Amino acid sequence: MPSTKKNAHPNIRAVAQLAQLSPATVSLALRNQDSIPPETRERVLVAAAKLNYQYKPRSGKSAKREEITPIRNLLYVVNDYGDTPLLSNPFYGAILNGAVAASPSFNSYVHPAILQHEHPLDAPLPEALRNGPDGILLASPYPPALVKQVASAVNCPMVLIDNLIPGSPYDTVMNDDFGGAYQAVQHLLELGHRYIHMIIGPLKKPGVIPNTPPSVVDRYRGYSAAMLDSGYTPLPAVEIPLDYKETIPGRKELPQWLGGLLARAPRMTALFCNVDFYAVHIISALHSIGYRVPDDISVVGFDDLDIAQMIHPQLTTVQVNRSAMSQVAMERLVARMEGDLRAPLHIHVGARLIVRESTTAPAPGTISG
C-alpha cells in the first residue's frame, strides 16, 4: 500500500502515487477541470491533504510551458466487425467511446484505427500504426503473432483489451468471463434446470481450439465449473449457424437447427448463449416453431447490450462493465508511458447477472434427473 508519510517537499507525482492515479489526472483535478469526475477529485484532495501538499497555479513563463504540454497521441486498434461508424459496435465501440471520454483526464487524444485479425504478417501495417503513436490500446482477440508484429513495428507502450495471451509482456484488461458465465449457469441450476446447453458462434479459423477467443474459452470454463460444482456433467458447446455478417441466411436456418437440438434426449430446458446477439435470435426462432420463452425453455445471454431489453421477453443476461474496462485500460497505458516498469498486469473487470423475463423454473415433468 502507498506510504502516507508526509514529505518535506511533496509534489504532484507524490500525490499521484498515493492516490494511485496518473500525474496528469492529479494536475487536472487540482485545477478543477470539468473532465474529472467528482469522486476522483475528492480522492486527489484527500491524498494531497495527507501529504500536506498545497497546489499553486503556475504563472508567467511556467504557465506558458504548461499550456503547450504536448497532447499524447493514442491509438485504439480494433478488428473490422462491419460497424459504420466504429462507435456503433455495441461492445468494442462502447469501449472506444469510454476511452475517448476519459482521454482529456490523461492529457491524451484517442484515434480509432482498423486492423484485421487476418492481416498478413508479411504486409505493411495500416498507416496509422506507422505514424509513431505514443501508445496503443489493442482491442479484440488478435493472434499472438500479429500482436508481436504490431509491438515490434510501433515500439511504444501497448495494452491489450479482451485478449489474454499466455506469457504476454503487456498489461491486459478483460471482462470476468469465467465469473459471469458461472453466475448465469448457477442461476439456471438454482431454478431447477439440469440439461443446459451452451451456445457459441461459428469458429471458422484454422486450428479452432488454439484460435478460440479467450473470452469464449473462459465463458465455457465458467459454464463447466458451475455444472460440475452442482454435480452435473457439462455438455459440449454447440455452434449456432449464425454469424454476425450473415444474419438473414442464418435466421432462415435457425428454426430447423433448433428443432434438431430440441429433439435430442434428454431434452434441454435451458440455453446459455455466449453473446446476447445469439440469444435474441434464438428466442425469435423458438417462438416461430411454437416454443414459449421462458415457459418451455429458459434463455440467458451475455454482454447486456441494448437489444437485451428490446426483445420480448426481456433477456436475462450478464452485464459487462465496458466503461470500467475503458478507464482501467487508459490508466494502465498512461502508467506505462510514464515509466511504470512493473511486471505485466492481467486485470479482470467484474461482471454481474441481470435477471429479467427470459428465465424461470422448468415446466413440471421436464426434469427427470
Side-chain angles (χ1 to χ4, degrees):
M1 182 174 179
S3 172
T4 59
K5 184 178 179 180
K6 293 183 179 179
N7 192 321
H9 301 288
N11 54 29
I12 281 182
R13 287 192 174 276
V15 176
Q17 183 179 6
L18 180 58
Q20 296 185 315
L21 296 166
S22 73
T25 299
V26 169
S27 177
L28 291 168
L30 293 172
R31 284 183 279 157
N32 292 317
Q33 293 291 313
D34 292 339
S35 59
I36 301 299
E39 59 270 23
T40 302
R41 185 177 293 112
E42 181 179 354
R43 186 167 150 193
V44 169
L45 293 176
V46 169
K50 286 183 179 180
L51 294 173
N52 198 26
Y53 175 74
Q54 300 293 324
Y55 174 69
K56 295 180 181 179
R58 296 181 181 181
S59 59
K61 294 181 179 179
S62 295
K64 291 180 180 178
R65 282 197 299 269
E66 185 180 39
E67 288 171 7
I68 61 173
T69 300
I71 302 295
R72 299 183 178 99
N73 175 34
L74 309 182
L75 281 183
Y76 180 92
V77 181
V78 69
N79 182 60
D80 182 6
Y81 290 99
D83 301 282
T84 305
L86 178 58
L87 282 171
S88 67
N89 183 284
F91 187 81
Y92 295 113
I95 295 176
L96 167 60
N97 191 49
V100 170
S103 60
S105 303
F106 299 101
N107 194 36
S108 306
Y109 187 82
V110 177
H111 306 263
I114 294 294
L115 176 66
Q116 300 285 18
H117 284 166
E118 299 81 13
H119 184 86
L121 297 179
D122 57 352
L125 292 171
E127 185 177 356
L129 285 155
R130 294 182 277 117
N131 283 344
D134 297 314
I136 290 179
L137 299 172
L138 194 63
S140 72
Y142 286 99
L146 187 54
V147 172
K148 186 176 181 180
Q149 181 192 11
V150 171
S152 62
V154 297
N155 192 29
C156 69
M158 186 163 68
V159 170
L160 308 184
I161 299 175
D162 194 34
N163 191 16
L164 187 58
I165 300 174
S168 167
Y170 308 106
D171 289 343
T172 297
V173 179
M174 295 286 295
N175 173 63
D176 182 12
D177 296 292
F178 177 93
Y182 191 99
Q183 291 178 63
V185 178
Q186 186 178 53
H187 165 66
L188 292 170
L189 290 163
E190 288 174 350
L191 288 173
H193 295 278
R194 300 294 177 261
Y195 305 115
I196 304 167
H197 283 282
M198 179 174 173
I199 305 298
I200 63 174
L203 301 175
K204 299 178 179 178
K205 296 179 180 178
V208 180
I209 297 301
N211 289 300
T212 302
S215 61
V216 178
V217 172
D218 278 354
R219 291 177 193 186
Y220 183 71
R221 286 179 54 242
Y223 156 82
S224 300
M227 294 289 285
L228 289 169
D229 286 352
S230 293
Y232 301 101
T233 302
L235 302 168
V238 180
E239 282 192 22
I240 186 173
L242 178 67
D243 201 347
Y244 283 108
K245 296 183 180 180
E246 53 179 25
T247 54
I248 301 302
R251 286 179 198 170
K252 292 179 179 178
E253 293 180 30
L254 274 184
Q256 182 178 356
W257 174 79
L258 276 170
L261 191 61
L262 290 163
R264 297 181 182 180
R267 184 176 80 76
M268 65 178 182
T269 61
L271 289 173
F272 167 51
C273 301
N274 182 53
V275 292
D276 289 345
F277 177 83
Y278 301 142
V280 165
H281 287 295
I282 280 176
I283 288 176
S284 178
L286 284 169
H287 288 165
S288 74
I289 56 176
Y291 285 89
R292 299 166 300 165
V293 176
D295 296 344
D296 298 321
I297 298 178
S298 288
V299 179
V300 180
F302 205 112
D303 288 336
D304 194 27
L305 305 181
D306 291 343
I307 55 173
Q309 297 186 66
M310 295 168 63
I311 192 169
H312 178 74
Q314 292 191 351
L315 182 65
T316 294
T317 186
V318 177
Q319 186 178 74
V320 175
N321 194 337
R322 297 180 286 278
S323 62
M325 292 178 70
S326 301
Q327 182 70 25
V328 172
M330 287 289 290
E331 289 175 358
R332 291 312 311 149
L333 183 59
V334 170
R336 295 300 181 185
M337 292 166 64
E338 293 179 348
D340 186 344
L341 299 177
R342 288 180 293 173
L345 303 180
H346 301 312
I347 302 169
H348 285 75
V349 175
R352 67 186 183 116
L353 180 70
I354 306 294
V355 177
R356 296 196 179 102
E357 302 166 349
S358 66
T359 52
T360 193
T366 58
I367 298 296
S368 59

